[in-house]
Amino acid sequence: MPVANIQVSETPLVLYALRRADDALILGHRLSEWCGHAPMLEEDMALSNIALDLLGQARELYSYAAKVEGKDNDEDRFAYLRDVRQYRNLLLVEQPNGDFAQTLVRQFFYSAFADLYWRAMMTSRDAALAAIAAKSEKESAYHLRHASEWIIRLGDGTDESHARAQAAIDHLWAFTGEMFAVDEGERALIHADIAIDPGSLRGRWLTTLSGVISEATLELPQTGWMQQGGRSGRHSEHLGHLLSELQSMQRTFPGQTW
Amino acid sequence: MYTQALNMAEADDRGLEDAATAAQFQTRIDADERIEPNDWMPAAYRKTLTRQISQHAHSEIVGMLPEGNWITRAPSLRRKAALLAKVQDECGHGLYLYAAAETLGTSREELVDAMLAGKAKYSSIFNYPTLTWADIGTVGWLVDGAAIMNQIPLCRCSYGPYARAMIRVCKEESFHQRQGYEIMLTLCRGSDEQKAMAQDALNRWWWPVLMMFGPPDATSQHSDTSTKWKIKRFSNDELRQKFVDATVPQAQYLGLSIPDPGMIQDADGHWRYSEIDWTEFKQVLAGNGPCNRDRLAARRKAHDEGAWVREAAAAYAAKRAQRRIAQAAE
């Protein structure tokens, strides 16, 4: 029985929504992997909570992408029937959980961006995106607070936690550049005031980071080479494994209702 | 790190158990009064409740594992969100119950250590594996259904903090149970393959779920005093029968067969089930269930690998407190 990948008409707006939806789904999926295995029950709760917020954001963005595309795709077809080359998320969010420091640094880098991004997107001329932004902004602000508090605790905790946090920062830094990159299609959406220019957020993002990182007695790496490719489907090897798990039911039992 | 103040030797007046105080206590119980943390209580009452509430808490936490097993593989985004929220609820129940147990004077840390050391029990049902998506439906429908049967009477338990915890827990559990049943309904209205998956899950879970109510009344050890203290209000067999009577029509509605060919409905309308294989129950209880080792290993791994995080949080909190003192002194 063939289990075909769906075809997506990636107009700039569809692609734009899909990229953000994929970010939220993949990061939410990663966080959900902690459920039942976190260092303390309070973090089982918190990480699941954040995962649920992100999953909610993903579902709204997929549904919006489906509406804009106007074919028979829907949230589940986007999530379950695209392969690794069709996924459009940032490389950062697909990175494995690693230890708790790595998970929280990944979250910190992303949430510090998402908080600014969604707040700015509230003024989008696209009413649907503005509405999603208004909801996501509140959630991201909490995610950022949670992650920041942990970065400070880990950085200024024990020698071991400090070393682990610094190692996570050094490891994940190269995946942060992609958040600020813009391609031609997005450039057009920015000109139309549908999207915002993420480059304009970089300064404030760095300020947020520096404040927390210095309070945590940690250091940001000197800007070096930045990895890119996720937005056009050139991913790390990690994503394929994540998707094979995420999609296993839909691929094993195609076309059924659950 | 949770409640350092509780990690101390017992130093209260529990030794003063004269007959008059004990009789007074029993009078309060008989009058359906709630016992609160600061009230006098017999040492055995405290011990029984500490054991029961902490076992209940451990069950919630270990119970996150079999269901968590499907979070990353849930077949739709709606199911994924519902399952994640459900497992998160179980964690919340665990936290809430540990807090209730702590009101009796034992710290969460101590209680958790006993579980990780294999000295404290949790519900044996979680020593069975969740093999297919239908298991997630079945666990919600039957395991949560059985838990509700057990827990509704506990909402009137004589110990106040436990009774209040149960009211909240039961509300969420009944939501989970409906969610599980809805998964089953969807499967049973689906393809032949899905229906077979649902039947297979019911076949595997039915008997272990009946065992959740504990050994038959004739052999149960704790029931007598627990009943006297109004911790337990119905016997194991009574609750089991109530559960079976409620569940059989639900299975019929789904079009599934209960894997008990000898089951008959008696003149009073009760569904009489066949003899339960208590050897299996004892084996699982003794640590020989299919997942006992995996469950404990997973909890120990999370605990051990999280140790440095908890240490960091404690170290940071201590540094912060130090800095505050230093600032105040300036």
Side-chain angles (χ1 to χ4, degrees):
Chain A
M1 206 183 305
V3 191
N5 293 317
I6 56 165
Q7 300 293 316
V8 183
S9 308
E10 288 186 335
T11 62
L13 187 55
V14 169
L15 183 58
Y16 191 81
L18 277 182
R19 284 171 170 171
R20 275 79 207 165
D22 289 348
D23 287 346
L25 176 66
I26 299 302
L27 186 56
H29 182 100
R30 280 291 186 223
L31 291 176
S32 79
E33 292 172 358
W34 275 104
C35 186
H37 309 278
M40 58 193 80
L41 299 179
E42 286 80 355
E43 285 309 303
D44 278 295
M45 301 280 288
L47 296 177
S48 301
N49 221 24
I50 299 169
L52 278 166
D53 286 345
L54 291 168
L55 193 51
Q57 293 173 12
R59 294 180 65 186
E60 287 185 19
L61 287 159
Y62 283 136
S63 297
Y64 182 56
K67 198 176 151 206
V68 175
E69 191 194 19
K71 297 198 173 161
D72 61 351
N73 287 325
D74 58 27
E75 58 171 32
D76 285 333
R77 287 168 61 85
F78 282 133
Y80 293 97
L81 297 176
R82 284 178 305 149
D83 76 4
V84 70
R85 298 283 287 114
Q86 294 173 293
Y87 259 76
R88 301 288 179 235
N89 58 279
L90 298 166
L91 297 175
L92 176 69
V93 298
E94 72 197 39
Q95 296 309 305
N97 285 338
D99 62 11
F100 189 73
Q102 197 164 317
T103 293
L104 266 296
V105 168
R106 185 185 64 200
Q107 195 63 39
F108 175 58
F109 286 165
Y110 177 81
S111 299
F113 173 79
D115 184 45
L116 294 168
Y117 170 76
W118 288 121
R119 206 178 312 152
M121 280 296 286
M122 286 165 65
T123 61
S124 166
R125 280 184 54 195
D126 182 309
L129 287 178
I132 293 172
K135 180 171 164 282
S136 304
E137 191 275 325
K138 289 190 194 79
E139 295 167 346
S140 303
Y142 158 71
H143 303 169
L144 174 59
R145 199 172 73 227
H146 171 263
S148 302
E149 285 170 3
W150 270 112
I151 298 304
I152 294 167
R153 266 183 221 122
L154 296 181
D156 195 16
T158 61
D159 289 347
E160 181 180 5
S161 66
H162 180 92
R164 285 176 184 262
Q166 188 62 57
I169 290 170
D170 295 345
H171 171 60
L172 292 168
W173 182 248
F175 299 107
T176 57
E178 201 177 25
M179 293 191 286
F180 305 98
V182 166
D183 65 12
E184 225 171 277
E186 292 200 359
R187 185 65 63 198
L189 294 176
I190 293 167
H191 283 309
D193 289 329
I194 289 168
I196 56 107
D197 183 355
S200 68
L201 306 175
R202 193 155 196 282
R204 274 179 290 160
W205 177 77
L206 267 176
T207 309
T208 307
L209 254 61
S210 308
V212 173
I213 297 271
S214 80
E215 192 180 341
T217 71
L218 296 163
E219 279 173 27
L220 281 183
Q222 298 303 310
T223 306
W225 172 254
M226 289 289 167
Q227 298 292 343
Q228 290 194 34
R231 290 294 190 221
S232 51
R234 282 177 287 111
H235 290 277
S236 64
E237 289 178 349
H238 305 295
L239 185 63
H241 295 279
L242 185 156
L243 292 181
S244 63
E245 197 171 332
L246 173 79
Q247 300 178 339
S248 61
M249 287 291 289
Q250 293 281 350
R251 300 293 190 179
T252 311
F253 305 99
Q256 310 206 7
T257 304
W258 301 95
Chain B
M1 67 172 278
Y2 309 113
T3 42
Q4 310 291 15
L6 292 175
N7 297 345
M8 288 183 281
E10 293 176 14
D12 57 19
D13 56 359
R14 273 177 240 163
L16 306 173
E17 275 188 34
D18 57 68
T21 341
Q24 219 171 19
F25 176 81
Q26 191 59 46
T27 310
R28 290 189 63 196
I29 299 267
D30 294 341
D32 274 334
E33 278 183 45
R34 287 269 181 276
I35 308 301
E36 295 300 333
N38 293 328
D39 296 350
W40 185 89
M41 62 187 85
Y45 178 85
R46 188 182 298 274
K47 196 175 157 195
T48 301
L49 272 165
T50 305
R51 190 190 57 233
Q52 183 170 336
I53 301 173
S54 62
Q55 281 182 7
H56 192 165
H58 301 329
S59 304
E60 298 281 359
I61 300 306
V62 176
M64 293 170 73
L65 298 170
E67 293 186 272
N69 183 37
W70 279 88
I71 290 172
T72 54
R73 291 180 291 165
S76 72
L77 295 183
R78 182 172 82 89
R79 294 290 186 206
K80 192 182 184 70
L83 180 59
L84 181 54
K86 182 192 171 183
V87 180
Q88 189 195 30
D89 281 349
E90 313 290 0
C91 185
H93 297 170
L95 270 173
Y96 207 50
L97 285 161
Y98 282 127
E102 285 189 325
T103 64
L104 291 160
T106 311
S107 71
R108 169 170 143 196
E109 204 173 28
E110 255 179 279
L111 298 170
V112 169
D113 284 348
M115 190 258 283
L116 295 176
K119 288 184 206 149
K121 292 192 171 62
Y122 56 85
S123 178
S124 275
I125 196 71
F126 300 120
N127 289 319
Y128 290 86
T130 49
L131 299 179
T132 70
W133 174 249
D135 290 39
I136 296 306
T138 309
V139 167
W141 171 36
L142 298 183
V143 174
D144 291 334
I148 293 166
M149 258 334 152
N150 262 324
Q151 289 166 13
I152 293 239
L154 288 172
C155 297
R156 293 185 294 136
C157 164
S158 60
Y159 189 57
Y162 194 30
R164 289 188 288 273
M166 280 304 104
I167 291 171
R168 178 166 144 181
V169 168
C170 282
K171 275 186 195 151
E172 294 185 353
E173 292 294 1
S174 67
F175 180 68
H176 297 163
Q177 201 251 355
R178 283 201 298 273
Q179 227 170 39
Y181 192 72
E182 201 253 323
I183 291 177
M184 295 306 275
L185 200 58
T186 309
L187 293 175
C188 291
R189 286 175 179 168
S191 66
D192 290 348
E193 211 173 11
Q194 286 174 306
K195 197 162 178 182
M197 191 189 274
Q199 181 65 56
D200 170 63
L202 175 58
N203 293 349
R204 283 181 288 112
W205 287 93
W206 175 253
W207 292 105
V209 165
L210 290 197
M211 294 176 203
M212 281 176 72
F213 294 92
D217 294 348
T219 61
S220 181
Q221 294 169 7
H222 307 300
S223 291
D224 290 348
T225 37
S226 289
T227 307
K228 187 182 85 179
W229 283 330
K230 293 194 181 164
I231 296 171
K232 198 175 172 70
R233 288 175 183 264
F234 297 97
S235 77
N236 294 351
D237 286 336
E238 281 170 335
L239 288 169
R240 189 165 15 241
Q241 188 60 53
K242 259 176 105 155
F243 171 78
V244 172
D245 290 341
T247 306
V248 170
Q250 294 170 357
Q252 286 171 339
Y253 184 77
L254 291 172
L256 297 176
S257 331
I258 304 275
D260 180 359
M263 183 182 265
I264 45 156
Q265 194 170 24
D266 69 13
D268 300 327
H270 294 300
W271 289 94
R272 298 296 174 195
Y273 47 89
S274 306
E275 181 109 25
I276 294 173
D277 177 9
W278 292 107
T279 334
E280 176 181 327
F281 180 75
K282 283 178 196 146
Q283 281 299 325
V284 179
L285 213 59
N288 298 323
C291 297
N292 294 58
R293 284 180 183 80
D294 289 346
R295 300 294 182 235
L296 260 189
R299 286 312 307 160
R300 282 182 189 143
K301 185 167 183 273
H303 188 78
D304 293 347
E305 289 181 358
W308 70 270
V309 179
R310 297 190 299 275
E311 280 159 21
Y316 176 72
K319 278 187 202 176
R320 229 168 82 139
Q322 280 284 320
R323 280 175 207 148
R324 280 211 191 111
I325 293 166
Q327 270 174 359
E330 274 171 18

